[in-house]
Every structure is written in C-alpha cells, then in structure tokens.
Amino acid sequence: MSKTKQPLDWGNLPFAYTKTDYRFQAFWEDGSWSEGKLITDSNITIHEGSTSLHYAQECFEGLKAQTAENGDVLLFRPEENAKRMQKSAERILMPSIPISLFMKGVCEVVNANYSWIPPHGYNASLYIRPLLIAHGDNLGLKSATKFEFRVLVSPVGAYFKSTKLEPIRLAVSEFHRVASQSTGMAKIGGNYAGGLLATKMAKEEGANEALYLDAKEHKYIEEAGSANILVLTKDKQLVTPDTDSILPSITRKSIMTLAKDKLNLTTKTRAIALMEEINSIQEMAACGTAAVLSPIDAVKMNNTWYTLPDSPKVGPIMSELRTMLVDLQLGKIQDDYNWIYKVDIT
C-alpha cells in the first residue's frame, strides 16, 4: 500500500473511472454478512440469473475523500450515506448494511488507496462508490438470496468541468424521473437509467443537464438528472422542493442548515411551480456530492430560455454557500456540527 502519490495530472482529472489498487468486498448469505476484506480484482463475477441484471436489484452511494491543507484525509457526513443506503436497500428488499460495516469498507479502501487521493489544492477528490448488488441463480421476480457489498474508489475532478466556477444551464425534460410513491427517494440504478436519454436531449439543446418536473402535473420542480435543486427567491428565501419522489440529498440538507445558521436566511421546503415563479427567482443552483453546489444561470422550458438576474455571473448567495461548504469539507473553517470524519491513514 504505497503512500507515494500517483503520477497523475491532478489539476486536470476528468470525472471518470480510474482503476485504483484496492476495493472492499463483503457478502451476505444465510442471514448474515461476512467480515469483508480488501481485494485487488476490479471485476465482479455474477451469475446470468442474478436479479441485479434482470430486475435492477441493486443500490449505491456516492461520497468523497478529500485532502485538507494539513494533509488529513476527510470525509463529509459518511454515516448519513450509510443510513441512506440502508433505506435504499430496504425499499428493494435487500439486506441492510450495518453502519459499522459500511464505515469499515469505506475507511479501509480509502486508506489502502492513499496514493490515489488528490493532494490539497487541485479541486479534486477521491470519489467513493459503495455498491450493493444481488447475486445468485434466480429467474422469477423475487428477491435474491445472496448479495455483495463492494466499495470502489476513483480520483476525479469537478463534475461540471470548468477552469473556474461558472454557472450551468438546465433544460426542462419532457420525461419524468419517477412518480410519487415510487422509488425516487432510493438511490437505485433503475432511477438513473431512464434519465440517460433526458440528459442527452438536454445537452443537445445547449444545457448541461436535464431538469425534471413532477409526473402528475408537469409543473413543480423535482430535481436535475444528477443533483437536487436550490432556489433563492428575490425576497431572500432559500427554497428546496417538497416531494417524496427525489433523492434526499445530504449536501442539500447541509446547505440548508448553513444558510439558516450562518447567513440568517429564511429556509423553506415547499412545492416550487417553475413557470409561475421563474420571475421571482434571484438565484438557483444544483447540489449534490458530485455537483457540490453548481450555480444555474438559465433554464429552458417551452422552447424558451429564461435567464436569471445575475447571469452570466455567479450570484453572491450561492457563491458564499458554496465557499462555506467547500471550506468546511476541507477543514478550513470550524466544524460546528461534527460533520467531518477524519480517516486514519496508516
């Protein structure tokens, strides 16, 4: 397990998979989890009858390890990812991963792949992908009897690539991500496969990403293809959609707390009727583990681009919130919430 950094161009990393040295693997069978171990093989051997292949019985998470200025390796609220993965697994009849096993897998694989963690100051991180998949010789529509928990990592750059912080653009999709009372609150692969075409079409329209509205009325903001949405109204209220069909973002929850406690903003969770409220929006942003907090300066709907007031610049509130969040994640400012987890590097 080398502690010498890999010879990578850390400042120009794509947001893409790069094979690292180790990954963590544990199996569930006969009602219990194995202890788990580090392995070097990046391939997964799976039976052709596995329900993960036929019925998308799998779920995953996403978090990052980042290097602080003093060299510490930091995670941001990892136990929240563990809890969300438990809920995702429960929704599609998979065994719950104990928080202790989740944390063991994440910390061991980060420590073992220390040489792949980007140094401080490159706007890059080690992306961590915990994955739970169903195994076995199944065929009928029922839950599997054997499951694999795996944690893989890859060094990545910014999700929305730019040499500096610049606003992104969204295009409202004619498709819907999921319906209410479905699987929207679970981080499962099936929710994302349906969005590939929507994202492709949005990019063809000149946007960075698709924006989904609700499936019932096609009126209220849900989320972007890869991130939650935040809206700052002209009367300085920070609003986020109130719906059971979007992923409960850990980043979004954290930003709302920071906005209320540190910026004294009024924060609300409510339905946001995009077309009716577009002229009352001052700033807007997409947020998530990958997106961090990416300001939005224009939205396309009904074949018309609606430009927000601060375009083409980044609005001051979203800029301040992003800086605060990133500084907190990198250990630059005081952590008043006990959100930062330091990984022991040995």
Side-chain angles (χ1 to χ4, degrees), residues 19-129:
K19 182 182 178 182
T20 56
D21 298 322
Y22 297 93
R23 57 274 311 134
F24 182 86
Q25 179 188 63
F27 287 99
W28 187 93
E29 192 172 11
D30 297 328
S32 63
W33 282 102
S34 67
E35 186 176 309
K37 63 181 180 180
L38 291 172
I39 61 173
T40 57
D41 189 358
S42 59
N43 295 301
I44 296 176
T45 300
I46 192 167
H47 192 278
E48 63 185 356
S50 296
T51 56
S52 56
L53 298 177
H54 295 267
Y55 309 122
Q57 194 179 26
E58 63 84 36
C59 63
F60 63 99
E61 270 300 322
L63 60 159
K64 296 176 183 175
Q66 300 184 86
T67 305
E69 193 170 6
N70 66 0
D72 287 347
V73 176
L74 307 177
L75 308 177
F76 184 68
R77 308 188 73 175
E79 290 194 358
E80 291 298 310
N81 292 95
K83 294 173 184 177
R84 188 170 67 179
M85 195 167 195
Q86 289 179 333
K87 292 179 180 178
S88 295
E90 179 183 356
R91 177 61 181 84
I92 54 174
L93 295 183
M94 303 180 81
S96 178
I97 300 168
I99 292 178
S100 58
L101 180 60
F102 182 97
M103 293 300 298
K104 175 183 178 181
V106 167
C107 291
E108 285 192 9
V109 81
V110 169
N111 179 59
N113 289 292
Y114 175 80
S115 66
W116 296 94
I117 304 174
H120 179 78
Y122 286 94
N123 191 28
S125 60
L126 187 73
Y127 189 82
I128 307 166
R129 171 53 56 81

Side-chain angles (χ1 to χ4, degrees), residues 96-302:
S96 178
I97 300 168
I99 292 178
S100 58
L101 180 60
F102 182 97
M103 293 300 298
K104 175 183 178 181
V106 167
C107 291
E108 285 192 9
V109 81
V110 169
N111 179 59
N113 289 292
Y114 175 80
S115 66
W116 296 94
I117 304 174
H120 179 78
Y122 286 94
N123 191 28
S125 60
L126 187 73
Y127 189 82
I128 307 166
R129 171 53 56 81
L131 176 67
L132 177 60
I133 61 173
H135 279 283
D137 54 348
N138 309 285
L139 189 59
L141 182 53
K142 58 184 179 181
S143 181
T145 58
K146 183 178 180 181
F147 300 86
E148 177 179 350
F149 172 53
R150 179 174 288 222
V151 184
L152 58 101
V153 297
S154 177
V156 299
Y159 188 77
F160 294 113
K161 199 66 175 177
S162 174
T163 56
K164 58 181 180 178
L165 178 60
E166 295 178 346
I168 62 171
R169 297 191 158 202
L170 302 182
V172 172
S173 176
E174 64 186 60
F175 302 113
H176 299 121
R177 180 173 174 268
V178 295
S180 178
Q181 299 298 315
S182 183
T183 58
M185 295 189 75
K187 197 169 179 66
I188 59 177
N191 290 344
Y192 293 84
L196 294 174
L197 179 58
T199 297
K200 178 177 181 293
M201 293 174 65
K203 290 181 177 180
E204 290 171 349
E205 294 183 59
N208 300 86
E209 181 63 276
L211 176 63
Y212 296 107
L213 302 183
D214 71 290
K216 184 177 181 180
E217 298 183 61
H218 198 68
K219 175 180 178 180
Y220 300 102
I221 293 176
E222 297 257 292
E223 62 182 317
S226 57
N228 280 182
I229 298 296
L230 297 166
V231 167
L232 180 74
T233 61
K234 290 182 178 178
D235 62 356
K236 303 303 181 189
Q237 295 185 28
L238 188 65
V239 185
T240 191
D242 180 21
T243 168
D244 63 4
S245 56
I246 66 173
L247 187 70
S249 166
I250 297 161
T251 304
R252 181 185 64 163
K253 180 168 64 173
S254 304
I255 291 170
M256 295 293 278
T257 298
L258 292 173
K260 181 180 179 181
D261 293 353
K262 305 301 183 181
L263 301 185
N264 295 316
L265 291 175
T266 299
T267 58
K268 291 186 177 181
T269 300
R270 64 167 175 81
I272 306 171
L274 181 58
M275 191 66 188
E276 295 175 9
E277 299 188 48
I278 189 66
N279 292 325
S280 67
I281 296 175
Q282 181 68 38
E283 298 181 43
M284 192 172 178
C287 67
T289 298
V292 189
L293 190 153
S294 298
I296 298 161
D297 76 337
V299 177
K300 186 177 183 180
M301 54 182 166
N302 300 329

